[in-house]
Amino acid sequence: MDKIQPVNVQGRHVAARGPLPIPPSEQGQPVIFQAGGGSYGLELAGRFADGVYANPMTIEDARAQRQALRDAAKRAGRDPDEVKMFAGFMPAVAPSREAALERRRFLDESVDPRQRVQYLGAMIGLPLSYDQIDRPLTARQLADAEPSPHDRRSFRVLEVAPEGWSLRDVLAHGVIDYHPVVGGLAADVAEQVQEVLPHFHGHFPASHPFTRA
């Protein structure tokens, strides 16, 4: 440590004496993670990233994103295996299956529910209001709903809503979240991660803990 000199960075917005008294990482530099889609983000990840946060909703989507990332790394002259992709999901673990869905509802309340209902409506082309949050979409609304071609999550809404859930429960299913939602007992979540998650299409299938009897 006596050979390490202080950095003494002094700038307008940051100041640090440095360095940290910890050994360097094996690769000799901090691990670089990249998040965000689009062509610019992909090229940035291919050139510099060690890991990339991704949000695939299906196994096909995950494979496509992974291949695009590998291709970007090749274009940058890197070994594609140097860049790791981390696909996200959102578990809700609770003592019972009903409690898991209730936990999702509770978490949703931390964000303005009025805003979430409006956002839900925008995704499927309906002027939804907060007054309907504890009621399902009507038959007329379901007939008029159209998924946005620019938002793949909107198709998930129209897979869940016709099952008769209230708008509050539709939101609790994670239809406007950017990662698949998996909920239930700890064993249920583990099983879903191992078997169902790679094929997850945005709603709870017939065998899923959140599905009504």
Side-chain angles (χ1 to χ4, degrees):
M1 292 296 294
D2 58 344
K3 296 182 180 180
I4 299 178
Q5 300 299 315
V7 178
N8 288 330
V9 174
Q10 295 290 333
R12 180 180 179 184
H13 300 292
V14 65
R17 181 178 181 275
L20 294 175
I22 58 176
S25 60
E26 292 184 4
Q27 72 271 26
Q29 66 181 34
V31 177
I32 299 175
F33 280 88
Q34 185 269 349
S39 59
Y40 290 118
L42 183 63
E43 294 306 313
L44 179 67
R47 292 180 62 187
F48 301 111
D50 299 300
V52 174
Y53 295 115
N55 60 340
M57 293 295 180
T58 69
I59 187 63
E60 294 81 7
D61 192 16
R63 287 171 176 162
Q65 289 189 37
R66 180 63 181 132
Q67 188 58 52
L69 181 59
R70 292 179 65 85
D71 292 343
K74 287 181 180 179
R75 288 193 295 272
R78 300 177 62 195
D79 180 353
D81 290 332
E82 292 180 359
V83 187
K84 308 301 181 183
M85 190 177 87
F86 295 80
F89 78 104
M90 303 175 66
V93 182
S96 70
R97 295 171 179 177
E98 294 76 14
L101 184 54
E102 178 60 31
R103 179 165 293 181
R104 285 286 309 171
R105 295 191 197 100
F106 175 77
L107 291 173
D108 284 347
E109 291 299 322
S110 64
V111 183
D112 185 356
R114 298 176 183 275
Q115 193 175 54
R116 289 172 66 83
V117 170
Q118 291 178 355
Y119 190 86
L120 180 69
M123 290 172 63
I124 56 176
L126 295 177
L128 300 181
S129 71
Y130 178 75
D131 295 339
Q132 194 182 344
I133 192 169
D134 289 312
R135 302 192 305 273
L137 293 178
T138 66
R140 177 62 181 271
Q141 287 175 318
L142 287 171
D144 292 342
E146 292 186 4
S148 169
H150 306 294
D151 191 335
R152 63 181 182 231
R153 295 170 301 163
S154 62
F155 293 90
R156 298 165 54 208
V157 177
L158 296 183
E159 291 176 344
V160 177
E163 296 174 358
W165 299 96
S166 69
L167 296 188
R168 191 185 301 274
D169 286 342
V170 170
L171 290 167
H173 278 72
V175 296
I176 70 172
D177 295 310
Y178 284 95
H179 298 294
V181 170
V182 180
L185 303 173
D188 295 328
V189 173
E191 181 179 355
Q192 297 290 312
V193 171
Q194 292 175 339
E195 299 180 10
V196 178
L197 185 60
H199 307 282
F200 199 82
H201 287 269
H203 75 293
F204 302 114
S207 60
H208 195 279
F210 284 176
T211 301
R212 294 176 175 175

